[in-house]
Amino acid sequence: MKRLRLLGAVVGLCGLAAALFIAASPPSVPEDVIRSSVIRVPELMERAWTLPVAATFQSNISWQSNGSLCGPASLANVFRSLGEEEITESEVLEGTGMCWTGFCIMGLTLDELATVARRHTDRTVSLVRDITADEFLEHMKRSNDPGRRYIVNFTREMIFGSGVGHHSPIAGYLEAQDLVLVLDVNEDYKPWLIERERLFAAMDTFDGTTLNRVRAPSIHSGATSGAAIAVGASWAPSRCRSLRLP
């Protein structure tokens, strides 16, 4: 009996180790594929970094420390841009009981990410669900409002041909070019621009638990001109959703 329990414990530990390895090392995409899949024209990137919200990040991104922490890393960057105190992954996760191993096994859902955000801000956090392409356009226009932040949840496969779900902040929208600035928190990808319709399509995915049209959590102060955060997919596959701070 003891041997069976020991065997079960060993199998369990092996399973946990395998899950942690997968979480730490999501599928990679070749550098040339990344370059050809998104837009990094210097003139457009320079213009995007001058947008009101993008400027609050000061072209400085704190990269996720492993492949499973894109959600906490996104919140940490957003909080820093808003002047909040929690500006590291560990500070964002403190007291939540989530990802206590240092890994968010299979990532965080948007609902979980919204729960983490609520734990560390006085702003109102809400999820935007089931929005249309036209409504998404309106949200992207609002992403230039210094009082708002958005984090989007999308699947890399729709943009880069392979990969899984991912959370990253939106830093602004170049309306004339219809391009969205995504502050990818994975250092291998770095920030990039993408056509709004392509980003919308990449957000229209399955999160492993719920089929949903584009949705996002949002955080705001409750005042008329509060702050808003929209969050996209975590490392796990995700159906279009977002978190916002209006």
Side-chain angles (χ1 to χ4, degrees):
M1 199 67 174
K2 289 183 178 179
R3 289 182 178 177
L4 287 176
R5 284 198 296 267
L6 179 59
L7 179 60
V10 170
V11 171
L13 287 173
C14 289
L16 177 61
L20 291 176
F21 176 78
I22 294 172
S25 306
S28 60
V29 176
E31 186 177 347
D32 61 326
V33 174
I34 295 174
R35 283 198 307 268
S36 63
S37 300
V38 292
I39 298 170
R40 288 206 185 93
V41 176
E43 179 185 350
L44 290 174
M45 288 297 293
E46 289 176 13
R47 189 180 308 169
W49 277 117
T50 65
L51 292 169
V53 171
T56 67
F57 290 90
Q58 301 177 341
S59 303
N60 180 25
I61 308 300
S62 297
W63 311 116
Q64 62 190 88
S65 58
N66 65 60
S68 72
L69 291 176
C70 57
S74 294
L75 277 179
N77 280 286
V78 162
F79 282 160
R80 175 172 55 80
S81 76
L82 288 168
E84 298 276 3
E85 294 181 357
E86 292 77 12
I87 60 173
T88 66
E89 294 167 337
S90 60
E91 288 171 341
V92 164
L93 290 167
E94 185 178 355
T96 66
M98 297 183 188
C99 314
W100 56 272
T101 62
F103 296 87
C104 298
I105 299 174
M106 296 310 296
L108 295 177
T109 67
L110 274 180
D111 298 82
E112 290 170 333
L113 194 58
T115 297
V116 172
R118 291 186 183 106
R119 181 89 184 191
H120 295 297
T121 183
D122 292 331
R123 295 176 169 85
T124 301
V125 179
S126 59
L127 290 168
V128 179
R129 303 178 190 271
D130 303 323
I131 63 176
T132 65
D134 288 340
E135 290 170 329
F136 182 64
L137 170 59
E138 293 307 310
H139 280 289
M140 291 301 92
K141 290 178 180 178
R142 294 172 197 154
S143 71
N144 289 327
D145 180 346
R148 294 176 178 263
R149 298 294 183 278
Y150 286 86
I151 301 171
V152 292
N153 183 320
F154 61 91
T155 173
R156 289 201 187 281
E157 185 175 8
M158 293 289 291
I159 298 174
F160 301 100
S162 62
V164 291
H166 185 66
H167 289 297
S168 276
I170 292 297
Y173 175 57
L174 292 173
E175 188 170 354
Q177 292 78 24
D178 199 19
L179 296 175
V180 181
L181 176 60
V182 178
L183 300 189
D184 203 316
V185 293
N186 186 317
E187 190 174 9
D188 291 340
Y189 291 80
K190 298 182 175 63
W192 35 269
L193 290 163
I194 186 171
E195 298 87 346
R196 173 182 49 83
E197 291 184 354
R198 287 184 64 207
L199 179 59
F200 181 82
M203 292 172 62
D204 196 8
T205 55
F206 179 57
D207 72 353
T209 57
T210 309
L211 280 171
N212 268 331
R213 296 289 299 175
V214 181
R215 65 178 183 178
S218 82
I219 304 171
H220 59 90
S221 65
T224 304
S225 59
I229 295 180
V231 180
S234 68
W235 183 73
S238 163
R239 180 91 178 170
C240 229
R241 54 190 181 175
S242 66
L243 198 173
R244 72 175 182 184
L245 295 171

